[in-house]
PDB file of all heavy atoms in Angstrom:
ATOM      1  N   GLU A 244      24.422  -4.786  -1.687  1.00 96.00           N
ATOM      2  CA  GLU A 244      23.315  -5.803  -1.314  1.00 96.00           C
ATOM      3  C   GLU A 244      22.557  -5.018  -0.105  1.00 96.00           C
ATOM      4  O   GLU A 244      21.355  -5.125  -0.039  1.00 96.00           O
ATOM      5  CB  GLU A 244      23.877  -7.083  -0.779  1.00 96.00           C
ATOM      6  CG  GLU A 244      24.348  -7.991  -1.968  1.00 96.00           C
ATOM      7  CD  GLU A 244      24.808  -9.339  -1.522  1.00 96.00           C
ATOM      8  OE1 GLU A 244      24.121 -10.047  -0.814  1.00 96.00           O
ATOM      9  OE2 GLU A 244      26.002  -9.738  -1.716  1.00 96.00           O
ATOM     10  N   GLU A 245      23.220  -4.603   0.809  1.00 96.00           N
ATOM     11  CA  GLU A 245      22.623  -3.973   1.939  1.00 96.00           C
ATOM     12  C   GLU A 245      21.773  -2.701   1.530  1.00 96.00           C
ATOM     13  O   GLU A 245      20.581  -2.622   2.025  1.00 96.00           O
ATOM     14  CB  GLU A 245      23.656  -3.453   2.964  1.00 96.00           C
ATOM     15  CG  GLU A 245      23.054  -2.888   4.255  1.00 96.00           C
ATOM     16  CD  GLU A 245      24.148  -2.439   5.281  1.00 96.00           C
ATOM     17  OE1 GLU A 245      25.236  -2.777   5.095  1.00 96.00           O
ATOM     18  OE2 GLU A 245      23.784  -1.707   6.177  1.00 96.00           O
ATOM     19  N   VAL A 246      22.295  -1.865   0.665  1.00 97.00           N
ATOM     20  CA  VAL A 246      21.564  -0.672   0.225  1.00 97.00           C
ATOM     21  C   VAL A 246      20.338  -1.130  -0.551  1.00 97.00           C
ATOM     22  O   VAL A 246      19.264  -0.534  -0.196  1.00 97.00           O
ATOM     23  CB  VAL A 246      22.593   0.189  -0.738  1.00 97.00           C
ATOM     24  CG1 VAL A 246      21.689   1.171  -1.486  1.00 97.00           C
ATOM     25  CG2 VAL A 246      23.631   0.768   0.024  1.00 97.00           C
ATOM     26  N   VAL A 247      20.384  -2.100  -1.450  1.00 97.00           N
ATOM     27  CA  VAL A 247      19.258  -2.470  -2.313  1.00 97.00           C
ATOM     28  C   VAL A 247      18.226  -3.192  -1.330  1.00 97.00           C
ATOM     29  O   VAL A 247      16.989  -2.923  -1.599  1.00 97.00           O
ATOM     30  CB  VAL A 247      19.651  -3.357  -3.453  1.00 97.00           C
ATOM     31  CG1 VAL A 247      18.483  -3.862  -4.100  1.00 97.00           C
ATOM     32  CG2 VAL A 247      20.607  -2.603  -4.433  1.00 97.00           C
ATOM     33  N   THR A 248      18.704  -3.929  -0.359  1.00 97.00           N
ATOM     34  CA  THR A 248      17.779  -4.672   0.525  1.00 97.00           C
ATOM     35  C   THR A 248      16.958  -3.553   1.253  1.00 97.00           C
ATOM     36  O   THR A 248      15.704  -3.718   1.382  1.00 97.00           O
ATOM     37  CB  THR A 248      18.525  -5.579   1.487  1.00 97.00           C
ATOM     38  OG1 THR A 248      19.120  -6.560   0.665  1.00 97.00           O
ATOM     39  CG2 THR A 248      17.586  -6.245   2.475  1.00 97.00           C
ATOM     40  N   ARG A 249      17.589  -2.710   1.920  1.00 97.00           N
ATOM     41  CA  ARG A 249      17.041  -1.647   2.688  1.00 97.00           C
ATOM     42  C   ARG A 249      15.983  -0.760   1.889  1.00 97.00           C
ATOM     43  O   ARG A 249      14.911  -0.498   2.338  1.00 97.00           O
ATOM     44  CB  ARG A 249      18.059  -0.765   3.410  1.00 97.00           C
ATOM     45  CG  ARG A 249      18.800  -1.499   4.490  1.00 97.00           C
ATOM     46  CD  ARG A 249      19.968  -0.716   4.988  1.00 97.00           C
ATOM     47  NE  ARG A 249      19.527   0.637   5.665  1.00 97.00           N
ATOM     48  CZ  ARG A 249      20.425   1.427   6.263  1.00 97.00           C
ATOM     49  NH1 ARG A 249      21.665   1.148   6.228  1.00 97.00           N
ATOM     50  NH2 ARG A 249      19.978   2.449   6.785  1.00 97.00           N
ATOM     51  N   ARG A 250      16.486  -0.451   0.633  1.00 97.00           N
ATOM     52  CA  ARG A 250      15.559   0.307  -0.279  1.00 97.00           C
ATOM     53  C   ARG A 250      14.413  -0.354  -0.694  1.00 97.00           C
ATOM     54  O   ARG A 250      13.300   0.062  -0.702  1.00 97.00           O
ATOM     55  CB  ARG A 250      16.410   0.693  -1.533  1.00 97.00           C
ATOM     56  CG  ARG A 250      15.654   1.585  -2.456  1.00 97.00           C
ATOM     57  CD  ARG A 250      16.325   1.744  -3.755  1.00 97.00           C
ATOM     58  NE  ARG A 250      16.355   0.595  -4.471  1.00 97.00           N
ATOM     59  CZ  ARG A 250      17.102   0.238  -5.521  1.00 97.00           C
ATOM     60  NH1 ARG A 250      18.179   1.012  -5.815  1.00 97.00           N
ATOM     61  NH2 ARG A 250      17.098  -0.964  -6.201  1.00 97.00           N
ATOM     62  N   THR A 251      14.599  -1.767  -0.910  1.00 97.00           N
ATOM     63  CA  THR A 251      13.429  -2.586  -1.309  1.00 97.00           C
ATOM     64  C   THR A 251      12.465  -2.715  -0.164  1.00 97.00           C
ATOM     65  O   THR A 251      11.244  -2.735  -0.384  1.00 97.00           O
ATOM     66  CB  THR A 251      13.939  -3.906  -1.763  1.00 97.00           C
ATOM     67  OG1 THR A 251      14.882  -3.737  -2.780  1.00 97.00           O
ATOM     68  CG2 THR A 251      12.869  -4.832  -2.397  1.00 97.00           C
ATOM     69  N   LYS A 252      12.974  -2.906   1.001  1.00 97.00           N
ATOM     70  CA  LYS A 252      12.054  -3.029   2.169  1.00 97.00           C
ATOM     71  C   LYS A 252      11.227  -1.738   2.354  1.00 97.00           C
ATOM     72  O   LYS A 252      10.102  -1.772   2.705  1.00 97.00           O
ATOM     73  CB  LYS A 252      12.889  -3.269   3.513  1.00 97.00           C
ATOM     74  CG  LYS A 252      13.385  -4.712   3.598  1.00 97.00           C
ATOM     75  CD  LYS A 252      14.156  -4.962   4.915  1.00 97.00           C
ATOM     76  CE  LYS A 252      14.649  -6.354   5.077  1.00 97.00           C
ATOM     77  NZ  LYS A 252      15.579  -6.522   6.224  1.00 97.00           N
ATOM     78  N   TYR A 253      11.970  -0.588   2.212  1.00 97.00           N
ATOM     79  CA  TYR A 253      11.209   0.668   2.340  1.00 97.00           C
ATOM     80  C   TYR A 253      10.114   0.794   1.289  1.00 97.00           C
ATOM     81  O   TYR A 253       8.970   1.139   1.530  1.00 97.00           O
ATOM     82  CB  TYR A 253      12.252   1.819   2.108  1.00 97.00           C
ATOM     83  CG  TYR A 253      11.578   3.236   2.162  1.00 97.00           C
ATOM     84  CD1 TYR A 253      11.345   3.820   3.358  1.00 97.00           C
ATOM     85  CD2 TYR A 253      11.294   3.835   1.007  1.00 97.00           C
ATOM     86  CE1 TYR A 253      10.672   5.105   3.454  1.00 97.00           C
ATOM     87  CE2 TYR A 253      10.727   5.116   1.037  1.00 97.00           C
ATOM     88  CZ  TYR A 253      10.440   5.707   2.265  1.00 97.00           C
ATOM     89  OH  TYR A 253       9.783   7.028   2.215  1.00 97.00           O
ATOM     90  N   ASP A 254      10.503   0.458  -0.079  1.00 97.00           N
ATOM     91  CA  ASP A 254       9.561   0.603  -1.163  1.00 97.00           C
ATOM     92  C   ASP A 254       8.361  -0.484  -0.907  1.00 97.00           C
ATOM     93  O   ASP A 254       7.246  -0.101  -1.187  1.00 97.00           O
ATOM     94  CB  ASP A 254      10.252   0.259  -2.447  1.00 97.00           C
ATOM     95  CG  ASP A 254      11.179   1.327  -2.837  1.00 97.00           C
ATOM     96  OD1 ASP A 254      11.103   2.425  -2.319  1.00 97.00           O
ATOM     97  OD2 ASP A 254      12.134   1.102  -3.725  1.00 97.00           O
ATOM     98  N   LEU A 255       8.750  -1.610  -0.466  1.00 97.00           N
ATOM     99  CA  LEU A 255       7.688  -2.618  -0.147  1.00 97.00           C
ATOM    100  C   LEU A 255       6.658  -2.106   0.894  1.00 97.00           C
ATOM    101  O   LEU A 255       5.487  -2.255   0.731  1.00 97.00           O
ATOM    102  CB  LEU A 255       8.274  -3.923   0.359  1.00 97.00           C
ATOM    103  CG  LEU A 255       7.355  -5.032   0.725  1.00 97.00           C
ATOM    104  CD1 LEU A 255       6.399  -5.443  -0.495  1.00 97.00           C
ATOM    105  CD2 LEU A 255       8.083  -6.308   1.250  1.00 97.00           C
ATOM    106  N   ASN A 256       7.241  -1.492   1.950  1.00 97.00           N
ATOM    107  CA  ASN A 256       6.424  -1.054   3.020  1.00 97.00           C
ATOM    108  C   ASN A 256       5.459   0.095   2.546  1.00 97.00           C
ATOM    109  O   ASN A 256       4.243   0.094   2.859  1.00 97.00           O
ATOM    110  CB  ASN A 256       7.243  -0.477   4.158  1.00 97.00           C
ATOM    111  CG  ASN A 256       6.537  -0.054   5.450  1.00 97.00           C
ATOM    112  OD1 ASN A 256       5.533  -0.789   5.818  1.00 97.00           O
ATOM    113  ND2 ASN A 256       6.871   1.061   6.005  1.00 97.00           N
ATOM    114  N   LYS A 257       5.960   1.004   1.703  1.00 97.00           N
ATOM    115  CA  LYS A 257       5.186   2.093   1.234  1.00 97.00           C
ATOM    116  C   LYS A 257       4.181   1.573   0.226  1.00 97.00           C
ATOM    117  O   LYS A 257       3.024   1.982   0.242  1.00 97.00           O
ATOM    118  CB  LYS A 257       6.153   3.102   0.451  1.00 97.00           C
ATOM    119  CG  LYS A 257       6.885   4.022   1.304  1.00 97.00           C
ATOM    120  CD  LYS A 257       6.003   4.950   2.027  1.00 97.00           C
ATOM    121  CE  LYS A 257       6.878   5.806   3.016  1.00 97.00           C
ATOM    122  NZ  LYS A 257       6.002   6.707   3.916  1.00 97.00           N
ATOM    123  N   ALA A 258       4.565   0.567  -0.574  1.00 96.00           N
ATOM    124  CA  ALA A 258       3.579   0.053  -1.597  1.00 96.00           C
ATOM    125  C   ALA A 258       2.417  -0.737  -0.851  1.00 96.00           C
ATOM    126  O   ALA A 258       1.243  -0.643  -1.248  1.00 96.00           O
ATOM    127  CB  ALA A 258       4.217  -0.967  -2.543  1.00 96.00           C
ATOM    128  N   GLU A 259       2.744  -1.427   0.256  1.00 96.00           N
ATOM    129  CA  GLU A 259       1.703  -2.130   0.987  1.00 96.00           C
ATOM    130  C   GLU A 259       0.795  -1.230   1.735  1.00 96.00           C
ATOM    131  O   GLU A 259      -0.504  -1.471   1.841  1.00 96.00           O
ATOM    132  CB  GLU A 259       2.376  -3.072   2.000  1.00 96.00           C
ATOM    133  CG  GLU A 259       3.051  -4.316   1.296  1.00 96.00           C
ATOM    134  CD  GLU A 259       3.707  -5.250   2.291  1.00 96.00           C
ATOM    135  OE1 GLU A 259       4.143  -4.750   3.431  1.00 96.00           O
ATOM    136  OE2 GLU A 259       3.908  -6.485   2.042  1.00 96.00           O
ATOM    137  N   GLU A 260       1.327  -0.089   2.167  1.00 95.00           N
ATOM    138  CA  GLU A 260       0.473   0.925   2.812  1.00 95.00           C
ATOM    139  C   GLU A 260      -0.464   1.476   1.845  1.00 95.00           C
ATOM    140  O   GLU A 260      -1.740   1.669   2.071  1.00 95.00           O
ATOM    141  CB  GLU A 260       1.357   2.004   3.444  1.00 95.00           C
ATOM    142  CG  GLU A 260       2.117   1.531   4.725  1.00 95.00           C
ATOM    143  CD  GLU A 260       3.005   2.699   5.140  1.00 95.00           C
ATOM    144  OE1 GLU A 260       2.947   3.823   4.648  1.00 95.00           O
ATOM    145  OE2 GLU A 260       3.750   2.521   6.279  1.00 95.00           O
ATOM    146  N   ARG A 261       0.055   1.811   0.680  1.00 94.00           N
ATOM    147  CA  ARG A 261      -0.893   2.458  -0.417  1.00 94.00           C
ATOM    148  C   ARG A 261      -1.881   1.423  -0.931  1.00 94.00           C
ATOM    149  O   ARG A 261      -3.062   1.772  -1.064  1.00 94.00           O
ATOM    150  CB  ARG A 261       0.041   2.965  -1.500  1.00 94.00           C
ATOM    151  CG  ARG A 261      -0.758   3.566  -2.687  1.00 94.00           C
ATOM    152  CD  ARG A 261      -1.509   4.792  -2.291  1.00 94.00           C
ATOM    153  NE  ARG A 261      -2.285   5.289  -3.340  1.00 94.00           N
ATOM    154  CZ  ARG A 261      -3.287   6.176  -3.193  1.00 94.00           C
ATOM    155  NH1 ARG A 261      -3.738   6.568  -1.959  1.00 94.00           N
ATOM    156  NH2 ARG A 261      -3.952   6.672  -4.274  1.00 94.00           N
ATOM    157  N   ALA A 262      -1.419   0.177  -1.049  1.00 95.00           N
ATOM    158  CA  ALA A 262      -2.332  -0.844  -1.532  1.00 95.00           C
ATOM    159  C   ALA A 262      -3.520  -1.025  -0.515  1.00 95.00           C
ATOM    160  O   ALA A 262      -4.638  -1.272  -0.897  1.00 95.00           O
ATOM    161  CB  ALA A 262      -1.635  -2.209  -1.780  1.00 95.00           C
ATOM    162  N   HIS A 263      -3.082  -1.027   0.760  1.00 95.00           N
ATOM    163  CA  HIS A 263      -4.131  -1.164   1.882  1.00 95.00           C
ATOM    164  C   HIS A 263      -5.223  -0.098   1.774  1.00 95.00           C
ATOM    165  O   HIS A 263      -6.373  -0.355   1.954  1.00 95.00           O
ATOM    166  CB  HIS A 263      -3.434  -1.103   3.214  1.00 95.00           C
ATOM    167  CG  HIS A 263      -4.261  -1.330   4.324  1.00 95.00           C
ATOM    168  ND1 HIS A 263      -4.957  -2.455   4.593  1.00 95.00           N
ATOM    169  CD2 HIS A 263      -4.567  -0.466   5.421  1.00 95.00           C
ATOM    170  CE1 HIS A 263      -5.622  -2.338   5.761  1.00 95.00           C
ATOM    171  NE2 HIS A 263      -5.533  -1.177   6.186  1.00 95.00           N
ATOM    172  N   ILE A 264      -4.745   1.169   1.466  1.00 94.00           N
ATOM    173  CA  ILE A 264      -5.789   2.278   1.334  1.00 94.00           C
ATOM    174  C   ILE A 264      -6.594   2.072   0.100  1.00 94.00           C
ATOM    175  O   ILE A 264      -7.869   2.236   0.189  1.00 94.00           O
ATOM    176  CB  ILE A 264      -4.995   3.628   1.288  1.00 94.00           C
ATOM    177  CG1 ILE A 264      -4.446   3.914   2.733  1.00 94.00           C
ATOM    178  CG2 ILE A 264      -5.919   4.755   0.826  1.00 94.00           C
ATOM    179  CD1 ILE A 264      -3.382   5.105   2.699  1.00 94.00           C
ATOM    180  N   LEU A 265      -5.944   1.620  -0.943  1.00 93.00           N
ATOM    181  CA  LEU A 265      -6.759   1.482  -2.255  1.00 93.00           C
ATOM    182  C   LEU A 265      -7.765   0.369  -2.101  1.00 93.00           C
ATOM    183  O   LEU A 265      -8.893   0.380  -2.648  1.00 93.00           O
ATOM    184  CB  LEU A 265      -5.752   1.155  -3.370  1.00 93.00           C
ATOM    185  CG  LEU A 265      -4.919   2.201  -3.863  1.00 93.00           C
ATOM    186  CD1 LEU A 265      -4.005   1.801  -5.030  1.00 93.00           C
ATOM    187  CD2 LEU A 265      -5.720   3.456  -4.263  1.00 93.00           C
ATOM    188  N   GLU A 266      -7.453  -0.729  -1.312  1.00 93.00           N
ATOM    189  CA  GLU A 266      -8.329  -1.780  -1.068  1.00 93.00           C
ATOM    190  C   GLU A 266      -9.584  -1.286  -0.310  1.00 93.00           C
ATOM    191  O   GLU A 266     -10.760  -1.577  -0.676  1.00 93.00           O
ATOM    192  CB  GLU A 266      -7.771  -2.974  -0.175  1.00 93.00           C
ATOM    193  CG  GLU A 266      -6.789  -3.775  -0.979  1.00 93.00           C
ATOM    194  CD  GLU A 266      -5.890  -4.670  -0.068  1.00 93.00           C
ATOM    195  OE1 GLU A 266      -6.090  -4.580   1.179  1.00 93.00           O
ATOM    196  OE2 GLU A 266      -5.085  -5.477  -0.553  1.00 93.00           O
ATOM    197  N   GLY A 267      -9.460  -0.318   0.701  1.00 92.00           N
ATOM    198  CA  GLY A 267     -10.485   0.357   1.259  1.00 92.00           C
ATOM    199  C   GLY A 267     -11.333   1.215   0.336  1.00 92.00           C
ATOM    200  O   GLY A 267     -12.642   1.102   0.448  1.00 92.00           O
ATOM    201  N   LEU A 268     -10.666   1.867  -0.458  1.00 91.00           N
ATOM    202  CA  LEU A 268     -11.510   2.754  -1.447  1.00 91.00           C
ATOM    203  C   LEU A 268     -12.282   1.929  -2.423  1.00 91.00           C
ATOM    204  O   LEU A 268     -13.406   2.289  -2.788  1.00 91.00           O
ATOM    205  CB  LEU A 268     -10.411   3.652  -2.206  1.00 91.00           C
ATOM    206  CG  LEU A 268      -9.682   4.682  -1.354  1.00 91.00           C
ATOM    207  CD1 LEU A 268      -8.757   5.524  -2.381  1.00 91.00           C
ATOM    208  CD2 LEU A 268     -10.623   5.686  -0.789  1.00 91.00           C
ATOM    209  N   LEU A 269     -11.694   0.761  -2.847  1.00 91.00           N
ATOM    210  CA  LEU A 269     -12.467  -0.053  -3.782  1.00 91.00           C
ATOM    211  C   LEU A 269     -13.664  -0.693  -3.027  1.00 91.00           C
ATOM    212  O   LEU A 269     -14.679  -0.912  -3.647  1.00 91.00           O
ATOM    213  CB  LEU A 269     -11.488  -1.215  -4.300  1.00 91.00           C
ATOM    214  CG  LEU A 269     -10.494  -0.735  -5.239  1.00 91.00           C
ATOM    215  CD1 LEU A 269      -9.510  -1.883  -5.549  1.00 91.00           C
ATOM    216  CD2 LEU A 269     -11.137  -0.239  -6.628  1.00 91.00           C
ATOM    217  N   ILE A 270     -13.504  -0.983  -1.804  1.00 91.00           N
ATOM    218  CA  ILE A 270     -14.687  -1.550  -0.968  1.00 91.00           C
ATOM    219  C   ILE A 270     -15.752  -0.515  -1.031  1.00 91.00           C
ATOM    220  O   ILE A 270     -16.916  -0.671  -1.107  1.00 91.00           O
ATOM    221  CB  ILE A 270     -14.232  -1.976   0.398  1.00 91.00           C
ATOM    222  CG1 ILE A 270     -13.409  -3.222   0.365  1.00 91.00           C
ATOM    223  CG2 ILE A 270     -15.373  -2.170   1.327  1.00 91.00           C
ATOM    224  CD1 ILE A 270     -12.710  -3.636   1.653  1.00 91.00           C
ATOM    225  N   ALA A 271     -15.251   0.812  -0.703  1.00 89.00           N
ATOM    226  CA  ALA A 271     -16.215   1.796  -0.580  1.00 89.00           C
ATOM    227  C   ALA A 271     -16.959   2.123  -1.955  1.00 89.00           C
ATOM    228  O   ALA A 271     -18.253   2.373  -1.939  1.00 89.00           O
ATOM    229  CB  ALA A 271     -15.510   3.139  -0.189  1.00 89.00           C
ATOM    230  N   LEU A 272     -16.200   2.062  -3.014  1.00 88.00           N
ATOM    231  CA  LEU A 272     -16.883   2.227  -4.335  1.00 88.00           C
ATOM    232  C   LEU A 272     -17.829   1.100  -4.723  1.00 88.00           C
ATOM    233  O   LEU A 272     -18.828   1.368  -5.438  1.00 88.00           O
ATOM    234  CB  LEU A 272     -15.739   2.351  -5.424  1.00 88.00           C
ATOM    235  CG  LEU A 272     -14.848   3.673  -5.377  1.00 88.00           C
ATOM    236  CD1 LEU A 272     -13.764   3.576  -6.334  1.00 88.00           C
ATOM    237  CD2 LEU A 272     -15.740   4.882  -5.726  1.00 88.00           C
ATOM    238  N   ASP A 273     -17.520  -0.025  -4.215  1.00 89.00           N
ATOM    239  CA  ASP A 273     -18.462  -1.158  -4.486  1.00 89.00           C
ATOM    240  C   ASP A 273     -19.782  -1.089  -3.692  1.00 89.00           C
ATOM    241  O   ASP A 273     -20.826  -1.605  -4.012  1.00 89.00           O
ATOM    242  CB  ASP A 273     -17.781  -2.534  -4.075  1.00 89.00           C
ATOM    243  CG  ASP A 273     -16.630  -2.919  -5.062  1.00 89.00           C
ATOM    244  OD1 ASP A 273     -16.768  -2.408  -6.219  1.00 89.00           O
ATOM    245  OD2 ASP A 273     -15.802  -3.793  -4.780  1.00 89.00           O
ATOM    246  N   ASN A 274     -19.640  -0.368  -2.561  1.00 90.00           N
ATOM    247  CA  ASN A 274     -20.840  -0.148  -1.698  1.00 90.00           C
ATOM    248  C   ASN A 274     -21.147   1.408  -1.511  1.00 90.00           C
ATOM    249  O   ASN A 274     -21.400   1.899  -0.440  1.00 90.00           O
ATOM    250  CB  ASN A 274     -20.588  -0.666  -0.349  1.00 90.00           C
ATOM    251  CG  ASN A 274     -20.355  -2.185  -0.442  1.00 90.00           C
ATOM    252  OD1 ASN A 274     -21.257  -3.049  -0.495  1.00 90.00           O
ATOM    253  ND2 ASN A 274     -19.038  -2.532  -0.439  1.00 90.00           N
ATOM    254  N   ILE A 275     -21.039   2.153  -2.682  1.00 88.00           N
ATOM    255  CA  ILE A 275     -20.941   3.590  -2.544  1.00 88.00           C
ATOM    256  C   ILE A 275     -22.308   4.129  -1.852  1.00 88.00           C
ATOM    257  O   ILE A 275     -22.266   5.151  -1.091  1.00 88.00           O
ATOM    258  CB  ILE A 275     -20.740   4.225  -3.830  1.00 88.00           C
ATOM    259  CG1 ILE A 275     -20.354   5.679  -3.746  1.00 88.00           C
ATOM    260  CG2 ILE A 275     -21.836   3.978  -4.801  1.00 88.00           C
ATOM    261  CD1 ILE A 275     -19.160   6.045  -2.895  1.00 88.00           C
ATOM    262  N   ASP A 276     -23.388   3.582  -2.261  1.00 89.00           N
ATOM    263  CA  ASP A 276     -24.729   4.137  -1.626  1.00 89.00           C
ATOM    264  C   ASP A 276     -24.791   4.046  -0.163  1.00 89.00           C
ATOM    265  O   ASP A 276     -25.138   4.930   0.504  1.00 89.00           O
ATOM    266  CB  ASP A 276     -25.919   3.393  -2.312  1.00 89.00           C
ATOM    267  CG  ASP A 276     -26.009   3.648  -3.748  1.00 89.00           C
ATOM    268  OD1 ASP A 276     -25.532   4.785  -4.267  1.00 89.00           O
ATOM    269  OD2 ASP A 276     -26.563   2.856  -4.511  1.00 89.00           O
ATOM    270  N   GLU A 277     -24.333   2.837   0.354  1.00 91.00           N
ATOM    271  CA  GLU A 277     -24.380   2.624   1.818  1.00 91.00           C
ATOM    272  C   GLU A 277     -23.252   3.590   2.505  1.00 91.00           C
ATOM    273  O   GLU A 277     -23.634   4.014   3.615  1.00 91.00           O
ATOM    274  CB  GLU A 277     -24.060   1.158   2.096  1.00 91.00           C
ATOM    275  CG  GLU A 277     -24.052   0.747   3.519  1.00 91.00           C
ATOM    276  CD  GLU A 277     -25.453   0.884   4.182  1.00 91.00           C
ATOM    277  OE1 GLU A 277     -26.454   0.913   3.391  1.00 91.00           O
ATOM    278  OE2 GLU A 277     -25.599   0.854   5.348  1.00 91.00           O
ATOM    279  N   VAL A 278     -22.241   3.718   1.921  1.00 89.00           N
ATOM    280  CA  VAL A 278     -21.199   4.637   2.479  1.00 89.00           C
ATOM    281  C   VAL A 278     -21.614   6.017   2.487  1.00 89.00           C
ATOM    282  O   VAL A 278     -21.558   6.664   3.596  1.00 89.00           O
ATOM    283  CB  VAL A 278     -19.936   4.490   1.583  1.00 89.00           C
ATOM    284  CG1 VAL A 278     -18.880   5.571   2.079  1.00 89.00           C
ATOM    285  CG2 VAL A 278     -19.208   3.200   1.784  1.00 89.00           C
TER     286      VAL A 278
END
């Protein structure tokens, strides 16, 4: 339980970081001329 919990927290943190960057890229692509 401890191993899977720590692994899941790590994976969640990495996924949220990547999703945050992708949200920025999608905003940029929606406003590409202004960017």
Side-chain angles (χ1 to χ4, degrees):
E244 286 183 56
E245 185 182 345
V246 168
V247 175
T248 299
R249 290 170 64 179
R250 185 190 71 200
T251 306
K252 283 180 179 176
Y253 176 83
D254 290 342
L255 176 61
N256 187 43
K257 286 292 179 186
E259 286 178 338
E260 286 177 4
R261 180 61 181 162
H263 182 65
I264 290 170
L265 292 177
E266 285 169 359
L268 293 179
L269 289 171
I270 290 170
L272 289 172
D273 288 339
N274 303 276
I275 193 62
D276 293 335
E277 183 66 15
V278 169

